[in-house]
């Protein structure tokens, strides 16, 4: 919770005033499909699921409060081949970064408060 929720929460609180001052900003929270409500009824990694579930909720709540051209969205990079996940993970770091980069560069008509993987909206349920 300290890293996946509270850390993000405090960074958002710190940067929103700067974004409001310039009338523009993009916040991309790195989440996980494990944070979907549908995942809560399955056993395993409960603390991780709860931290991502609250992060997804924060994304939606902040989106409802933002004005101007300030957008907040969440991205699920998937299981990525890395030191943390190991070499058997099927996704490359480049694949994981694509949704994050897309959300960072969306225009004023782009999504706000969504949850995406590979540029496709994922249902929060």
């Amino acid at each position: 919770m300290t890293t996946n929720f509270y850390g993000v929460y405090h960074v958002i609180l710190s940067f929103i005033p700067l974004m409001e001052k310039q009338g523009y900003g993009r916040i991309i929270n790195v989440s996980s499909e494990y944070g979907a409500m549908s995942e809560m009824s399955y056993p395993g990694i409960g603390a991780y699921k709860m931290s991502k579930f609250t992060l997804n909720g924060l994304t939606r709540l902040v989106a409802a409060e933002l004005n101007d051209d300030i957008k907040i969205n969440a991205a699920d990079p998937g299981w990525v081949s890395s030191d943390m996940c190991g070499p058997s993970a099927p996704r490359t770091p480049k694949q994981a970064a694509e949704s994050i980069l897309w959300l960072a560069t969306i225009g004023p008509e782009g999504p706000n408060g969504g949850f995406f993987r590979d540029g496709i909206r994922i249902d929060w349920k």
Side-chain angles (χ1 to χ4, degrees), residues 29-42 44-45 48-56 74-80 90-91 115-118 120-125:
N29 290 328
V30 179
S31 190
S32 169
E33 66 184 325
Y34 284 121
M37 179 63 88
S38 61
E39 291 294 320
M40 296 302 121
S41 61
Y42 298 105
I45 60 172
Y48 179 76
K49 287 180 182 181
M50 182 56 70
S51 71
K52 293 301 186 175
F53 178 75
T54 42
L55 177 64
N56 292 345
D76 173 14
W79 187 26
V80 180
R91 295 174 60 82
F115 183 36
F116 296 88
R117 183 171 184 191
D118 297 330
I120 299 168
R121 186 180 292 265
I122 299 171
D123 194 351
W124 291 96
K125 297 178 189 171

Side-chain angles (χ1 to χ4, degrees), residues 5 7 11 23-24 33-34 41 58-59 69-71 78 82 84 107 110:
F5 176 74
V11 169
Y24 175 86
E33 66 184 325
Y34 284 121
S41 61
L58 177 67
T59 301
D69 188 16
I70 303 170
K71 310 266 187 213
S82 63
M84 184 173 91

Side-chain angles (χ1 to χ4, degrees), residues 54-123:
T54 42
L55 177 64
N56 292 345
L58 177 67
T59 301
R60 296 292 297 264
L61 288 169
V62 172
E65 299 292 329
L66 294 175
N67 297 309
D68 299 316
D69 188 16
I70 303 170
K71 310 266 187 213
I72 181 170
N73 290 285
D76 173 14
W79 187 26
V80 180
S81 180
S82 63
D83 289 343
M84 184 173 91
C85 296
S88 62
R91 295 174 60 82
T92 67
K94 182 178 186 287
Q95 289 171 313
E98 287 173 355
S99 284
I100 297 167
L101 292 172
W102 169 68
L103 289 168
T105 58
I106 57 173
E109 300 303 319
N112 190 34
F115 183 36
F116 296 88
R117 183 171 184 191
D118 297 330
I120 299 168
R121 186 180 292 265
I122 299 171
D123 194 351

